[in-house]
Amino acid sequence: MADQTKIVIRNDLGEFPELTRKVHGVLEPRGFSGKPVYVVDLALEEMVTNIIKYGYDDQDEHQIEIILNTSDAGVELKIIDDGHFFNPLETETADTVSDLDSRAVGGVGIHLTCTMADEVDYRRRHHKNILTVKVSRKS
């Protein structure tokens, strides 16, 4: 049986503690722990931070929707925003081999999310970015 929870936050980094608390309040009672929770936390931190920092040209308040679909198989996380078009799947692969001092800044969080999740999908629909991250319970 699948359950859906929708959480809406403002484009403000100060929203993160409450977002994390709400997400854990959904996942933990449904028996999620360990790696699946870590991957959801990572995806939220990396992707939502990017949206807040780089997604908007104005100082207006914007809504970012987080939808969690949980089931016996795993969790599907959707992040929906009305910021600039940004497909994280089209970014250059992060350099994880070179010496830390010679690496370009950025991209590692996206790389880790894509590597650790079972599936990551991006769509742009009705002027909104929709990022879907799927993580199996057994990840």
Side-chain angles (χ1 to χ4, degrees), residues 96-108:
T96 58
V97 179
S98 299
D99 183 87
L100 284 174
D101 293 332
S102 61
R103 292 183 196 178
V105 175
V108 175

Side-chain angles (χ1 to χ4, degrees), residues 41-74:
D41 284 345
L42 174 68
L44 284 171
E45 171 122 10
E46 294 300 326
M47 304 306 174
V48 175
T49 297
N50 283 342
I51 294 165
I52 292 170
K53 287 184 171 181
Y54 310 113
Y56 306 103
D57 288 332
D58 57 45
Q59 299 300 316
D60 296 343
E61 184 175 298
H62 294 268
Q63 304 290 306
I64 302 169
E65 295 177 48
I66 293 90
I67 300 172
L68 291 167
N69 292 303
T70 57
S71 69
D72 291 340

